[in-house]
Amino acid sequence: MTQDIAPTDAAPIRLPIERETVLDPPPKLSELRAECPVSRLTYADGHIGWLVTSFEMARAVLQDARFSSRPDLRHSAVHQVLGDGQPPEEDVPGMFVGMDPPEHTRYRKLITGELNVRRMRLLEPKIEQTALKLIEEMRAGGNTADLVSAYASPLPSLVICELLGVSYQGWLKIRPVSEKMLRTDSSAEEVKQCFADIFAYLAEVVAAKHIEPADDLISGLVALDELSDVEITAIAFQLFTAGHETTMNMLSLGTYTLLTDPQQLAALRADFSLLDGALEELLRFLTVIQFGISRAALEDVDLGGVTVRAGESVTISLPAANRDPARFPDPDRLDLMRPASSNVAFGFGVHQCVAQQLARAEMRIGFRTLLQQFPALRLAIPRDEVEMRDGAIVYGAKSLPVAW
Ligand code: HEM
């Protein structure tokens, strides 16, 4: 049933980004959701569009083909250059993240085919080996470490390298460039250069897979003989960039959350079969894509009582949707035993995270290995001193000093 939305005459606001508490989205988002879950929003470039804050309206937009993902049509509420973390180039073939069906569907099918159950099964033991190796290195360095640089960051990167068939040396080469590309304080020129450097590196990898194929995703796409090398490079690029920061921040912020909630951590340690449910709750509660995602209306659309005009952008606040009391009772409480109920941390609709099963496997194995290997894991500094990535597109801890 569609909830009634009172059309508002309120002046457009800027996207609320100031948090009052580290683990909760800006309180203004809850006020907006209660007053008017589709409200007017001023974008960074002056465009006046919309902000969606309820779960129901978020899903309505994300599953509606009248809303486009094309970066040349939509505006970004937060950062004009990066949009939702996408590269600035629009004309490269294969950039499926910014496409609409049916173009998007074709790429999506080919990628889903490569991210199959067999490949996921093959990856799982490798994820565990990588996690154990990183932990061994942490131990070799003493009894404290920064969890972000020692574990949460390298684990997803190394897993993506394994998935794509990119060498560790390759990762070392493109890692700093990728970091710079996703920083909100990088200039448009710098972002463009980073994009070109990563693209050039991955193009070399794709070329090499023609000569020496292996059992990896890039070789799989090459073997299909359906895509040009530029398209395959673009796909590899998007997997590489989309899959790192998200999982890294879920691992570090998730660990921070568990370490600062000893009771729930103890329950989890006592019964690791709770982990799958706990992951869904951490995904919901933390929703690290903190400024949401955006779409552009291709025609006039009635959205629960307000009319979104063709050409207007809509920002869907995933954190606000995931704290909607109409969907999740007592939404601001972290409850690792919460009964399962799907949330929008991975998005919804045709663009819903294509690698969510991989991300879940990384988190399941990443958290379990860490907690089992370090039964006395704790923060090495007071919780209030942990610095967070306030202005970053993907929220998390800048660093997380831990001891064991
Ligand atoms: C916990 C970790 C992750 C979170 C929270 C996350 C979240 C999301 C969200 C919200 C979207 C939808 C974007 C939109 O609709 O505009 C998305 C799409 C996507 N994600 Fe993830 N993601 C995660 C991990 C990963 C990983 C590990 C990879 C790659 C290895 C990845 C690759 C992608 C790609 C390529 C898309 C675009 C799909 C499409 O447009 O069809 N993500 N992700």
Side-chain angles (χ1 to χ4, degrees):
M1 203 182 70
T2 304
Q3 180 186 338
D4 274 343
I5 295 171
T8 176
D9 297 329
I13 54 153
R14 287 208 169 248
L15 183 70
I17 58 173
E18 302 285 329
R19 288 172 184 253
E20 279 181 11
T21 41
V22 284
L23 295 181
D24 299 306
K28 179 76 188 161
L29 291 170
S30 301
E31 279 172 37
L32 288 170
R33 190 181 47 234
E35 283 161 19
C36 184
V38 183
S39 48
R40 298 249 65 169
L41 181 70
T42 303
Y43 285 71
D45 57 2
H47 172 74
I48 310 278
W50 299 91
L51 174 64
V52 167
T53 43
S54 75
F55 187 82
E56 186 191 5
M57 289 300 121
R59 290 219 299 200
V61 174
L62 293 173
Q63 68 183 352
D64 191 329
R66 294 171 295 173
F67 288 103
S68 170
S69 277
R70 279 176 45 191
D72 56 323
L73 299 181
R74 56 198 171 94
H75 298 251
S76 161
V78 175
H79 198 268
Q80 291 177 40
V81 179
L82 277 177
D84 300 320
Q86 289 178 29
E89 309 292 299
E90 286 130 28
D91 296 332
V92 182
M95 284 291 177
F96 69 102
V97 175
M99 288 177 187
D100 296 331
E103 240 190 323
H104 169 263
T105 322
R106 174 175 164 252
Y107 290 107
R108 177 90 189 197
K109 271 196 189 135
L110 295 177
I111 297 156
T112 319
E114 285 303 314
L115 283 169
N116 53 31
V117 177
R118 185 189 69 89
R119 184 151 285 138
M120 290 304 110
R121 284 219 183 104
L122 283 175
L123 266 181
E124 289 200 3
K126 301 234 166 106
I127 301 175
E128 187 162 355
Q129 281 160 22
T130 309
L132 285 168
K133 192 170 154 280
L134 293 169
I135 285 171
E136 207 179 287
E137 286 167 14
M138 283 166 73
R139 282 212 177 95
N143 70 342
T144 61
D146 165 25
L147 192 82
V148 176
S149 54
Y151 191 74
S153 170
L155 183 60
S157 294
L158 292 166
V159 171
I160 297 171
C161 288
E162 186 71 39
L163 170 77
L164 296 177
V166 171
S167 70
Y168 182 69
Q169 294 314 319
W171 173 67
L172 291 178
K173 208 166 136 181
I174 51 180
R175 170 86 190 98
V177 189
S178 153
E179 250 174 26
K180 190 169 175 188
M181 189 179 76
L182 291 174
R183 287 220 323 251
T184 39
D185 58 356
S186 297
S187 71
E189 267 318 299
E190 284 172 329
V191 172
K192 233 176 167 159
Q193 191 53 51
C194 293
F195 173 84
D197 291 348
I198 301 174
F199 212 88
Y201 174 74
L202 290 173
E204 276 174 31
V205 175
V206 174
K209 298 291 176 188
H210 281 282
I211 301 157
E212 225 176 303
D215 190 357
D216 54 54
L217 190 139
I218 294 182
S219 301
L221 291 176
V222 168
L224 292 176
D225 216 10
E226 281 194 43
L227 298 164
S228 69
D229 279 11
V230 176
E231 287 173 303
I232 298 174
T233 306
I235 291 168
F237 177 93
Q238 289 163 102
L239 289 169
F240 199 90
T241 47
H244 175 248
E245 299 251 324
T246 40
T247 316
M248 167 183 102
N249 286 298
M250 271 306 298
L251 283 171
S252 57
L253 198 63
T255 305
Y256 170 90
T257 308
L258 293 173
L259 295 181
T260 52
D261 194 335
Q263 234 176 336
Q264 296 208 59
L265 176 59
L268 185 59
R269 281 189 179 283
D271 181 3
F272 275 104
S273 73
L274 299 174
L275 189 54
D276 282 346
L279 281 184
E280 297 311 307
E281 174 67 349
L282 284 171
L283 281 161
R284 178 195 76 82
F285 187 74
L286 300 174
T287 314
V288 290
I289 301 190
Q290 62 169 338
F291 305 134
I293 53 183
S294 65
R295 298 288 189 266
L298 294 170
E299 54 186 87
D300 290 1
V301 180
D302 177 275
L303 200 55
V306 304
T307 305
V308 176
R309 300 267 172 224
E312 287 182 336
S313 286
V314 179
T315 288
I316 301 101
S317 172
L318 300 177
N322 274 344
R323 296 288 187 105
D324 186 343
R327 171 76 179 186
F328 307 100
D330 201 0
D332 295 326
R333 195 166 69 89
L334 174 80
D335 176 5
L336 298 184
M337 321 282 174
R338 191 182 282 274
S341 166
S342 57
N343 65 67
V344 287
F346 284 120
F348 191 68
V350 294
H351 288 277
Q352 190 176 40
C353 186
V354 71
Q356 57 185 287
Q357 293 318 333
L358 172 63
R360 285 196 175 93
E362 288 182 60
M363 288 186 288
R364 191 184 329 111
I365 297 167
F367 283 123
R368 199 191 54 219
T369 311
L370 183 73
L371 295 175
Q372 285 179 337
Q373 290 294 316
F374 294 124
L377 191 71
R378 60 189 185 280
L379 291 183
I381 58 172
R383 59 190 291 177
D384 302 343
E385 287 174 24
V386 175
E387 264 194 87
M388 298 295 170
R389 296 157 47 98
D390 287 323
I393 288 162
V394 188
Y395 188 64
K398 279 188 189 161
S399 62
L400 191 65
V402 290
W404 50 86

